[in-house]
Amino acid sequence: MTEARAVSRFPVPDLADMPDDIRSRILAVQEKSGFIPNVFLVLAHRPDEFRAFFAYHDALMDKPGNLTKAEREMIVVATSNLNQCQYCVVAHGAILRIRAKDPLIADQVAVNYRKADITDRQKAMLDFAVRVSTEAQKVSESDFATLKAHGFTEEDIWDIAAISAFFGLSNRLANVTSMRPNAEFYSMGRG
Amino acid sequence: MTEARAVSRFPVPDLADMPDDIRSRILAVQEKSGFIPNVFLVLAHRPDEFRAFFAYHDALMDKPGNLTKAEREMIVVATSNLNQCQYCVVAHGAILRIRAKDPLIADQVAVNYRKADITDRQKAMLDFAVRVSTEAQKVSESDFATLKAHGFTEEDIWDIAAISAFFGLSNRLANVTSMRPNAEFYSMGRG
Amino acid sequence: MTEARAVSRFPVPDLADMPDDIRSRILAVQEKSGFIPNVFLVLAHRPDEFRAFFAYHDALMDKPGNLTKAEREMIVVATSNLNQCQYCVVAHGAILRIRAKDPLIADQVAVNYRKADITDRQKAMLDFAVRVSTEAQKVSESDFATLKAHGFTEEDIWDIAAISAFFGLSNRLANVTSMRPNAEFYSMGRG
Amino acid sequence: MTEARAVSRFPVPDLADMPDDIRSRILAVQEKSGFIPNVFLVLAHRPDEFRAFFAYHDALMDKPGNLTKAEREMIVVATSNLNQCQYCVVAHGAILRIRAKDPLIADQVAVNYRKADITDRQKAMLDFAVRVSTEAQKVSESDFATLKAHGFTEEDIWDIAAISAFFGLSNRLANVTSMRPNAEFYSMGRG
Amino acid sequence: MTEARAVSRFPVPDLADMPDDIRSRILAVQEKSGFIPNVFLVLAHRPDEFRAFFAYHDALMDKPGNLTKAEREMIVVATSNLNQCQYCVVAHGAILRIRAKDPLIADQVAVNYRKADITDRQKAMLDFAVRVSTEAQKVSESDFATLKAHGFTEEDIWDIAAISAFFGLSNRLANVTSMRPNAEFYSMGRG
Amino acid sequence: MTEARAVSRFPVPDLADMPDDIRSRILAVQEKSGFIPNVFLVLAHRPDEFRAFFAYHDALMDKPGNLTKAEREMIVVATSNLNQCQYCVVAHGAILRIRAKDPLIADQVAVNYRKADITDRQKAMLDFAVRVSTEAQKVSESDFATLKAHGFTEEDIWDIAAISAFFGLSNRLANVTSMRPNAEFYSMGRG
C-alpha cells in the first residue's frame, strides 16, 4: 500500500517520454542500484534542471578530493535533517551506511552529530557544514582557522561549503515536491 | 568497537550495586527485550530519579486511553528529533516501527512528519505535540478546537501534551548525559 | 473576583474524591503553607502523573546536595520565565524569596539573571540551566569545564541539568492547563 | 547591602552638578514618589538624551487618549519581559499594579499575558504590541483589522505601536547600562 | 505614478496646519536638502512625538564625539536592514554614501557589513550595534572589553548602543506607518 | 582603491588559464555587459561546478515561463537579503532595476518587499519564495492554494521554489567565498 503513494506532488514523466540522455542516466542508475531513486523521477519533470542538478551533484560528490565519500555523505545527512528533508536523510543515510560500512552512523549523524561515533575532525567539519547551512553570512576567517587546525585545506573547505549549500537546494526542492524516499533506502546498509 | 563506547558520560552502577527494585525492573526489561536499554543504566545512577522517571513514563505510555501505542511513540519520535535527542529518536523509532508494524514510519515521522504515511488526524496530533514542545506558552483554545475537530477529546489533548512535555525532559537528560542508544535499536522492526 | 477564576482549564477533583495518598499529601502541604498550591489540584486530575511528578520534584528539590535550596529555585525561576510559565515564575519566585531571604532576588532572576544580585558562580549555573532548557543538544565538555572552574562537581551539573529539564516539563504542563498561580504567592517573602 | 550596588555601569552625576531643568524634574519626581527612580539618574549622564527621552515618554504615557494608563503600562511590562529588561519590568510592573489597582496583574502580564486576568481586547492589544516589538516588518492591514474588531481606533493603534517601540529603546539602554531597579518598586502596589 | 503613493498609512497634515516650530524645522530641512524627507511628514501627525523624536535624533547624530558621522550612519544602516526597515535603509544609506564619500558603502553595510569595505574597528562597532539591536539582554563586560581593544571609549560605547536602540524605535514606527522613502534618496551620493 | 580588493578569498584563475568553454562564456558576458560579473571569476576556480551552476541558473532564469524576468529577479533579491548575501543583492538588484525599468524597486524589494511598489500577486509570490528559503519543511497544500488564488499555475510554483532554492545555494557560496560585487552593479539602472 505504502508503495502506491505518489513519488512527487508534481507530474512524473514515463521513462519512455524522457529525453534520451535522461533516460539513459536513469537506466544506468537502476542497473547499478536495482531500483530508480525517486529524485531522478521527480526532477525528470524538468529536463534542463535535471541535467544541471546531477552535473552539480557529480561535481561535488564524485570528484577526487581529500574528503572521503563517507564524509561527504555525513555533510548531507547532518544538514538535511536540520532542514527536515525526509528524502535526503533517508536516501543519503543509506549511502552513508554503505560508504562508511557502519550500520549505526547515519542515524547518529542525522539526529545529533555531536554524539556520533565520528572523529573530532569530522565533528569540526559538520560544525562548519551546519554553519554554512544556517548562518553562512557569519562565516569568517576564524572558521577557516578552526578547520585548518583539524587538517582541512582551503579546497576541502570549499568542498564542505559547496556540499552543504547544494543539498540546501536539494532539501528545499524535496520538501516542495514532497519527494518520497524509496522504500529500499530505509534498510540498506543496516547489516 | 562501537559497543565499547560509554553508555553515559556519568557513572553507571553495576547491576549488583543497584537497589533491589531497580535491579528487578531492569532484569525484567532485559528478559522481555533481550537487552537492557541504556536509559535504564544511565538513570540508575540516580535511584530516586530513576523511579520517578519510569513511573511517569509508565503513567503516560502504558495506561489505557484513546491514543494508540503507536501514536504515543509518534509523538516521542517527532519531538525528540526537533530536540536532536539521539537516544530517543533511535530507541523510540524502533518501538514505533514495532507498534505500527511499519518499517518506514519512524524515519518518516522523525525527519518530517508532515510528509509521513500517517493520517491527517495524526498530523494534527503532531502539530500540537510540536507546538507544546517548542512554544507551549502560545497554546490557546484554538489549538483545542483544531484537535477536537479531528476527534480528539480533552483527555487525549492532555495525553499529547504530557507525552510531549515528558520527552522534552527525557531529551534534555539524554543530551546532557550523552546517553548512547543501544546498537540493537537501529535495526529493530525494519522487517 | 479574581479568585473565582478557574485553577485549570481541565477538571479539578474535589479533595474528597481523591485517592488517599494524594489527599494526604495535599492536606499536609495545606497545613504547612496555609493554602493549597494550585499545581497539586491541577495534577490531581491524573493521580498516577501526580505521584510521579511530585516524586520527581522531591528527588530533585528536597534531596541533599551542594546546590542550596535557593540556588535550585533560581534555576526554576530563570528557566520558567524564558518558557513564559506564569505559575512557575510566580510560585517558585515566592519560594526563592523565602529560601534566599531576599525580597528582590526572584524578580531579578526571572527577568534577567545576568543583572541579578547573585554570584558569578550562580550566573554560570544559570547560563548552563538556560542552555539545557533551550539548546541541550549543544551541551559539550566545554560547558562542564566552565562549571567545574566555578567549583561545581559532576553531580552538581547533573542536578542543574535535571532541575532545568524537569521544570521544562512542568512549564509546558502549566501552559497547556492554564494553571493559575495562587494569589498568596505574589506577595510571599516580599518583606 | 543591596542598595550599595551601582545604579549604572556608566557614571551617574551628582544632583548638584546636573543642569537646572534636569535637577528640577528629578526633584519633582522625588517629591511625588518619595525616591528617585534610577532611570532619571542613569540618563542624567547625557542631558540632551535625558530631555528627549522623557519628552518622548511623556508624549506617549501622559497624554490623553483611549488607552487607559494601566493599558499603556501593560504594553511596557509585556514587551519589556520579552526583552529581558529588569528595570522596566520591575519599575513599570509597580506602576501597572497601582494604575490597575490590582496587586497580581503585573506579574501575570510580564510572564505570559495570554493567561492574565485581562480582557480579550487587552490581549489583542498585547498581541500587537509584541508583534511590533519582535517582528514589526510583518505588520499588515490584517493586524489593523483585528485591532479594529476589538474597538481600537487608528490613533489607538499608533499609540500601542509607539509605546512598544519606545520601550524597546528603553529596554536596550537599560540592559547596556545595567540600570538597576530601585528596591522600592518591587513591593509597591502589592496591597 | 510611484510618487503618488502614500507617504504614510496614517494622516499627514498640511504644512500650513502644523505648529510653527514643526513647520519651521521642516522648511529648514527642505531648504537644505531640496525636498522634505518623509519621516518629517509622517511624524508631524503627532507633534509632541515629532519634537521628542528629532531632539533624540539630534542628540545622538549631530553631537560631537569620537564616532564619525559616517560611522553613526553605518550603525543605522546595518541595524535597520536587519529590522527590514525600508525607509531607514534607503534614507540613511543615502546619508552614509554622502558622509563617507563612498558610493558603494551603504549597500555593502546594509546587506552584510562583515564583507564591507570598512575597518576591523568599524566591524567590531557594528557587531556590537547588532547585538544591542537583537539581544541587548546578553551584553556583558566582555563586549565592552572587545570594543575597548579596538580603541572605543566608554562614551563611544554608549553612543553605539544608543544609536542602535534609537533606530530600533524608528524602524518599528516606519514599519507600522508604512513610511515611504522619498524617491530622491535612492540615487543620492551614488557618484 | 576599492577595486583593488579581492574578488574572492579563494584563488581566481586568469582568463588565459581557463577551459575554453568557460573562457568563451565569460568573454560573451563581458561583451554584452561591458564587464565580467565577479561570480563568473569566482566560480571559474572550479570548472565543473561553474558549468553546473550556470546551467542551473540559465534553466531557471532564462527559460520561457509565466513569471516575468523582473519577477524572477524579485525572488532573488528578496531571499538574498534575508540570507545577507551582498553579491546577490547588489548584482541582481541591478538586473531587477533594468528588467523592471524601475530605479526604486530593487532596494524596496530587498529591504521589505511587503512595502514595495509591486502587486499583491507579486507579494504572494515573495511570501512563498521566502517560506521556501526559510522553512520549506512547512510548505503545504495551503501554500499552493494561496498561490493559485493569485493566478499562479503549478509550474509557476515550481519555478518560484526552484529560484528561491537555487539562490539559497548561490547566497551560501558567495558568503563563504566573500564574493565581491562589481562596482558597476551599484549604480546600474538607477536612471
Side-chain angles (χ1 to χ4, degrees), chain B residues 9-10 45-46 49 52 56 60 63 132-133 136-137 141 144 154-155 158-159 165 169 172-173 175, chain C residues 9-10 45-46 49 52 56 60 63 132-133 136-137 141 144 154-155 158-159 165 169 172-173 175:
Chain B
R9 80 169 300 296
F10 288 88
H45 177 55
R46 294 282 184 106
E49 296 168 44
Y56 217 136
L60 295 172
K63 69 153 198 157
V132 170
S133 188
Q137 67 273 15
E141 289 306 308
F144 283 79
E154 290 270 328
E155 295 307 310
W158 178 301
D159 287 342
L169 155 65
R172 285 166 177 78
L173 292 179
N175 267 319
Chain C
R9 79 170 300 296
F10 287 88
H45 177 56
R46 293 284 185 104
E49 295 168 45
Y56 217 135
L60 296 171
K63 69 153 199 157
V132 170
S133 188
Q137 67 273 16
E141 289 305 309
F144 283 78
E154 291 269 328
E155 295 307 309
W158 177 303
D159 287 342
L169 155 64
R172 286 166 176 80
L173 292 180
N175 267 318

Side-chain angles (χ1 to χ4, degrees), chain D residues 9 46 141 154 158-159, chain E residues 9 46 49 141 154 159:
Chain D
R9 81 170 299 295
R46 295 280 185 107
E141 289 306 309
E154 291 270 328
W158 177 302
D159 287 341
Chain E
R9 80 171 299 297
R46 293 284 184 105
E49 296 169 44
E141 288 305 309
E154 291 270 327
D159 287 341

Side-chain angles (χ1 to χ4, degrees), chain F:
Chain F
M1 182 192 74
T2 294
E3 284 307 288
R5 293 186 183 249
V7 157
S8 170
R9 80 171 300 295
F10 287 89
V12 172
D14 286 338
L15 268 173
D17 299 332
M18 294 179 188
D20 285 351
D21 62 319
I22 290 178
R23 188 176 47 247
S24 298
R25 165 116 197 203
I26 289 180
L27 292 175
V29 172
Q30 187 179 31
E31 182 156 329
K32 185 176 168 201
S33 306
F35 63 98
I36 304 171
N38 289 334
V39 63
F40 290 94
L41 299 176
V42 175
L43 295 185
H45 177 55
R46 295 283 184 105
D48 287 344
E49 296 169 44
F50 178 106
R51 292 179 187 106
F53 181 93
F54 288 106
Y56 217 137
H57 174 278
D58 297 350
L60 295 172
M61 301 303 277
D62 294 345
K63 69 154 198 157
N66 295 325
L67 301 183
T68 66
K69 293 274 174 91
E71 286 169 343
R72 297 178 207 195
E73 297 297 332
M74 287 178 201
I75 295 169
V76 181
V77 169
T79 57
S80 296
N81 195 40
L82 289 178
N83 284 331
Q84 300 182 38
C85 177
Q86 203 179 81
Y87 185 86
C88 293
V89 173
V90 172
H92 287 272
I95 304 174
L96 172 53
R97 286 190 294 270
I98 290 169
R99 297 287 194 220
K101 301 188 202 315
D102 180 340
L104 309 188
I105 195 170
D107 296 335
Q108 291 176 348
V109 167
V111 185
N112 191 346
Y113 67 89
R114 300 170 196 86
K115 311 289 185 184
D117 297 335
I118 57 178
T119 64
D120 284 349
R121 183 179 170 278
Q122 289 166 336
K123 289 179 187 175
M125 175 187 78
L126 295 176
D127 282 341
F128 182 66
V130 165
R131 187 163 169 85
V132 170
S133 187
T134 58
E135 48 176 14
Q137 66 273 14
K138 295 187 185 168
V139 167
S140 72
E141 289 306 309
S142 81
D143 296 294
F144 283 79
T146 299
L147 288 164
K148 288 180 182 177
H150 281 283
F152 292 102
T153 67
E154 291 270 328
E155 295 307 309
D156 298 340
I157 296 172
W158 177 301
D159 287 341
I160 300 168
I163 294 169
S164 175
F166 176 76
F167 281 91
L169 155 64
S170 181
N171 294 164
R172 285 166 177 80
L173 292 180
N175 267 319
V176 174
T177 60
S178 292
M179 189 184 292
R180 183 178 175 80
N182 304 61
E184 287 84 349
F185 284 127
Y186 291 78
S187 55
M188 277 173 61
R190 290 197 181 272

Side-chain angles (χ1 to χ4, degrees), chain D residues 52-64:
Chain D
F53 182 93
F54 289 106
Y56 217 137
H57 174 278
D58 297 350
L60 296 171
M61 302 302 278
D62 294 346
K63 69 154 198 156

Side-chain angles (χ1 to χ4, degrees), chain E residues 12-19 23 41 44:
Chain E
V12 173
D14 287 336
L15 270 173
D17 299 331
M18 294 179 189
R23 187 174 50 244
L41 298 177

Side-chain angles (χ1 to χ4, degrees), chain D residues 159-179:
Chain D
D159 287 341
I160 299 167
I163 293 169
S164 175
F166 176 76
F167 281 92
L169 155 64
S170 181
N171 295 164
R172 285 166 177 80
L173 292 180
N175 267 319
V176 174
T177 59
S178 292
M179 190 184 291

Side-chain angles (χ1 to χ4, degrees), chain E residues 11-77:
Chain E
V12 173
D14 287 336
L15 270 173
D17 299 331
M18 294 179 189
D20 286 350
D21 62 319
I22 291 179
R23 187 174 50 244
S24 297
R25 166 119 197 200
I26 289 178
L27 292 174
V29 171
Q30 186 178 30
E31 180 155 329
K32 185 175 168 202
S33 307
F35 64 98
I36 304 171
N38 288 335
V39 63
F40 290 94
L41 298 177
V42 175
L43 295 184
H45 177 55
R46 293 284 184 105
D48 287 342
E49 296 169 44
F50 177 106
R51 292 180 187 107
F53 182 92
F54 289 106
Y56 218 137
H57 174 278
D58 297 351
L60 295 171
M61 302 302 277
D62 295 345
K63 70 154 199 157
N66 295 324
L67 301 182
T68 67
K69 292 273 173 90
E71 285 170 343
R72 298 179 207 194
E73 297 296 332
M74 288 179 199
I75 296 169
V76 181
V77 169

